[in-house]
Amino acid sequence: MTHTPAKRPWYRPMVARQPDEPHRASTPLELFFDLCFVVAVAQAAAQLHHDVAEDHLLHAVPSYLMVFFAIWWAWMNFTWFASAYDTDDDVYRITTLVQITGALVLAAGVPRAFADADFTVITIGYVIMRLALVAQWLRVARTDLHPGRRACGRRYAIAITIIQVGWVLRLALPDSLLVPGLLVLVLAEIAVPIWAERVAETTWHPEHIAERYGLFTIIVLGESILAASVALQSAVDEHEELGGLLWIGGAGVVIVFAMWWLYFDRPASGLLTSMRVSLFWGYGHYLIFSSAAAVGAGLAVAVDHETHKAHLGGVGVGYAVAVPVAVYLLSVWVLHIRPHQQGLIVVAYPVAAALTLLAPLTPAPVPAVAVAVAALVAVTVVAAHLESRPSAGTR
């Protein structure tokens, strides 16, 4: 007797999935979504690397933060929506692929945004992603069995659509109003979930959300390794003196490995205890994702400086690595450590961040940053072993 696989429907009602659903793991479509989105992350990091190496800091940092917001916000909204309403029917898959297409369009516009402050292509890609999500929310508004969640879906669809009109109209604003217009639209985007969820909270799966964020953190850290490796390979091919490059390469590996260790040192799913806490945790990952990608750009700048291609001074090069690492450490501390831990480990994170910011004042800033984060990993390992040791009263 042969087994006939179940046929996937082309359309099914969007009924909220249960938050305690067992064995809820990321799907192949979600993983594909992440891999395509990291193309845009890589483009943003590459342009940041180029501008920082040219000492265009006042242009590089705001441009990077604006571009990364579009990437992160679209990714995060899909992630939480999928946790609640992944039906895996044909319409859902096609709509998700449209979102991925928007991410690729956005990635294609990143160089022009950095070079000419022209956000037209990025805006088109972003609007494609967001309107595809509107189509999904309209399905929720039509088919969810819960009246409150249907109303929530309508709120999401209406608010997101109005804001996308605002993004398109922003392209016609005079230069003096572009930044104020951006800030207004960003605040409006961030406020949408807070407003929509007031009528009824959508369901979400804590383990699934924690896994999705963790997987994207891994992908972004991998992109940093790749960016630094490509810069190092190019430098090695062109120069015979490899001593300084090897130090940067080795220190860069230690830094990224330590960043991975610190993020995954303790499971995050238990932290997501309410919608309010989860929103803060989810929003806070903007800093984790953007700083993790920026570390790769900083390491590439350090390689350029070693090969005399960068126009940035030695201290500035050190801070190109130290600042994103410090932001990453403090973000992990705020989201994962400070509210839920006690003792030495709570103090160790800000101390390590402070030492990281002092590292550029040393003769070897990148290795000094590596020492600081490696020491922090050592502290977390010791703290974990002390916590697991049985007390005298339980022996």
Side-chain angles (χ1 to χ4, degrees):
M1 184 171 139
T2 60
H3 172 70
T4 303
K7 184 178 179 181
R8 185 181 64 256
W10 75 273
Y11 181 88
R12 58 159 58 107
M14 276 198 161
V15 179
R17 299 180 67 157
Q18 295 302 312
D20 56 352
E21 180 181 335
H23 311 299
R24 181 72 192 279
S26 297
T27 67
L29 181 59
E30 288 175 318
L31 298 177
F32 185 52
F33 186 92
D34 291 356
L35 287 173
C36 291
F37 258 67
V38 86
V39 174
V41 173
Q43 284 278 32
Q47 296 303 314
L48 177 66
H49 159 215
H50 178 269
D51 276 11
V52 171
E54 294 295 322
D55 199 10
H56 299 157
L57 297 178
L58 294 179
H59 174 265
V61 175
S63 297
Y64 176 74
L65 294 177
M66 286 188 289
V67 169
F68 208 95
F69 172 82
I71 300 167
W72 161 76
W73 189 247
W75 178 88
M76 190 178 81
N77 276 252
F78 167 78
T79 296
W80 286 81
F81 180 89
S83 189
Y85 290 107
D86 184 354
T87 56
D88 197 35
D89 56 28
D90 291 342
V91 175
Y92 178 87
R93 287 188 171 194
I94 292 171
T95 309
T96 301
L97 293 175
V98 172
Q99 289 180 264
I100 292 174
T101 302
L104 298 178
V105 173
L106 186 152
V110 170
R112 181 179 296 182
F114 272 81
D116 305 320
D118 181 357
F119 286 82
T120 302
V121 177
I122 282 184
T123 301
I124 292 171
Y126 182 75
V127 170
I128 290 172
M129 291 187 290
R130 300 295 280 150
L131 291 182
L133 188 62
V134 167
Q136 301 278 44
W137 280 117
L138 289 174
R139 290 182 63 186
V140 173
R142 181 174 177 270
T143 62
D144 196 309
L145 300 177
H146 191 282
R149 286 196 289 266
R150 289 201 300 271
C152 179
R154 287 192 294 271
R155 285 193 175 198
Y156 270 111
I158 292 169
I160 294 173
T161 301
I162 292 172
I163 294 172
Q164 300 325 294
V165 173
W167 283 114
V168 174
L169 293 177
R170 177 183 174 272
L171 297 175
L173 291 177
D175 292 346
S176 60
L177 295 178
L178 288 178
V179 173
L182 170 76
L183 294 176
V184 169
L185 290 167
V186 166
L187 291 175
E189 291 275 19
I190 292 174
V192 168
I194 300 172
W195 175 67
E197 300 279 343
R198 282 184 177 180
V199 64
E201 290 186 3
T202 54
T203 62
W204 43 274
H205 198 290
E207 288 80 10
H208 177 245
I209 288 293
E211 181 189 25
R212 296 287 292 114
Y213 274 77
L215 289 172
F216 199 67
T217 300
I218 290 173
I219 291 174
V220 174
L221 289 174
E223 189 282 323
S224 286
I225 286 282
L226 176 62
S229 297
V230 169
L232 192 62
Q233 176 188 350
S234 176
V236 167
D237 290 342
E238 297 175 8
H239 292 79
E240 295 182 359
E241 296 294 331
L242 302 181
L245 293 174
L246 293 177
W247 274 107
I248 293 173
V253 169
V254 171
I255 290 169
V256 177
F257 284 2
M259 291 167 69
W260 172 87
W261 187 293
L262 295 169
Y263 184 91
F264 292 99
D265 186 51
R266 295 158 193 266
S269 59
L271 309 178
L272 308 182
T273 55
S274 68
M275 176 58 74
R276 183 184 63 82
V277 171
S278 300
L279 279 176
F280 178 76
W281 185 85
Y283 284 9
H285 271 71
Y286 170 76
L287 295 175
I288 288 181
F289 293 156
S290 59
S291 61
V295 168
L299 292 172
V301 171
V303 171
D304 286 350
H305 181 264
E306 185 66 25
T307 57
H308 309 293
K309 291 182 179 179
H311 295 88
L312 193 63
V315 173
V317 169
Y319 278 113
V321 177
V323 169
V325 171
V327 170
Y328 183 92
L329 295 180
L330 291 174
S331 300
V332 172
W333 176 65
V334 169
L335 298 179
H336 286 187
I337 303 300
R338 186 181 60 84
H340 316 285
Q341 303 295 328
Q342 58 184 354
L344 177 63
I345 190 172
V346 178
V347 179
Y349 272 80
V351 169
L355 293 175
T356 296
L357 292 175
L358 292 174
L361 305 179
T362 67
V366 178
V369 171
V371 170
V373 294
L376 179 57
V377 169
V379 170
T380 63
V381 170
V382 171
H385 282 288
L386 290 177
E387 289 174 5
S388 63
R389 182 182 298 175
S391 62
T394 60
R395 288 177 185 171

